[in-house]
Amino acid sequence: MEWKELEEACAKCDRCSLCQRRTHLVFGDGNRQAKLMLVGEGPGEQEDLQGIPFVGPAGKLLDQMLAIIDLDRKDYYIANIVKCRPPQNRDPLAAEQEACIGWLREQVKLVRPKIILCLGRIAAQRLIDPSYRITREHGQWVQKGGIWMSAIYHPSALLRDESKRPETFDDLLSLRDKLREVQQEN
Ligand code: URA
């Protein structure tokens, strides 16, 4: 599938009941040719209203954090595990993730990233390991299907608990190193 076909098909998605309450489906944003892909959990209120991932308070913090290592949206592609907002921002249910994950798989096939950074536990458990423990394993790198994968705390968690920010800063430096490594491969 090509981008246009994928985006048009996804826009009509009714694979789970989250579609019934959405203002906008939040497909993805950023550079479709990037080596780095970021994957969050699911849209929040602002994302649902605007149709763009990570534009609310968590997104603003994410932008600030990535700016520290000189990254902005032209440097990565960003999407979520589920494309429609769960009510009251609850965790997406396993069945909702299952229904939606095919869209993300197609996005990964088209972007062909060298690195996937999961934002938070939900994405890490879905993409890295179902038993992933974010507190213990954040910042560690594993390779799956030729793609380097890691996770950091979700920016919403960093808004709630600032004490986690120094560890995340270290993880971002590690991301910068990994990006340099894959850029040297070409
Ligand atoms: N949180 C997420 O996981 N994704 C978004 O797009 C916004 C907030």
Side-chain angles (χ1 to χ4, degrees):
M1 235 191 277
E2 296 301 323
W3 279 110
K4 190 167 179 288
E5 194 187 344
L6 180 66
E7 200 164 357
E8 283 173 5
C10 188
K12 294 186 221 138
C13 183
D14 59 1
R15 290 179 187 171
C16 82
S17 60
L18 293 181
C19 70
Q20 292 161 10
R21 294 163 166 250
R22 72 179 171 226
T23 314
H24 290 103
L25 180 141
V26 180
F27 180 69
D29 190 33
N31 181 348
R32 294 174 169 185
Q33 272 100 42
K35 291 195 182 345
L36 170 64
M37 190 156 165
L38 305 188
V39 180
E41 181 177 316
E45 184 183 19
Q46 281 306 315
E47 292 76 19
D48 173 69
L49 290 172
Q50 297 182 44
I52 304 168
F54 285 98
V55 288
K60 297 215 159 54
L61 177 62
L62 180 66
D63 288 349
Q64 287 167 12
M65 290 181 342
L66 291 171
I68 295 171
I69 55 164
D70 256 341
L71 296 179
D72 64 31
R73 282 196 189 194
K74 68 177 173 356
D75 302 305
Y76 57 85
Y77 188 75
I78 187 162
N80 283 302
I81 297 287
V82 297
K83 308 290 191 238
C84 299
R85 182 187 181 200
Q88 283 85 46
N89 300 342
R90 65 155 168 73
D91 289 353
L93 305 176
E96 292 159 354
Q97 295 182 35
E98 205 49 57
C100 205
I101 196 76
W103 300 119
L104 184 69
R105 289 211 181 94
E106 294 297 327
Q107 288 172 303
V108 172
K109 274 194 215 161
L110 289 171
V111 176
R112 296 195 296 124
K114 299 264 197 249
I115 300 173
I116 294 181
L117 184 71
C118 299
L119 304 172
R121 171 183 60 89
I122 297 280
Q125 290 184 342
R126 180 54 57 169
L127 301 183
I128 300 177
D129 179 349
S131 59
Y132 195 91
R133 301 285 302 272
I134 192 87
T135 41
R136 282 194 212 150
E137 295 176 70
H138 68 86
Q140 295 177 17
W141 290 97
V142 292
Q143 218 176 5
K144 282 185 84 175
I147 302 176
W148 282 108
M149 308 198 55
S150 187
I152 60 172
Y153 285 115
H154 193 285
S156 303
L158 300 172
L159 283 174
R160 286 192 301 269
D161 181 358
E162 291 196 9
S163 73
K164 293 188 166 83
R165 291 190 191 185
E167 297 167 76
T168 305
F169 180 67
D170 290 342
D171 295 346
L172 291 173
L173 295 181
S174 160
L175 171 65
R176 186 180 62 185
D177 290 345
K178 189 57 81 183
L179 264 169
R180 286 184 181 153
E181 197 180 303
V182 302
Q183 268 147 5
Q184 276 162 13
E185 283 167 10
N186 296 330

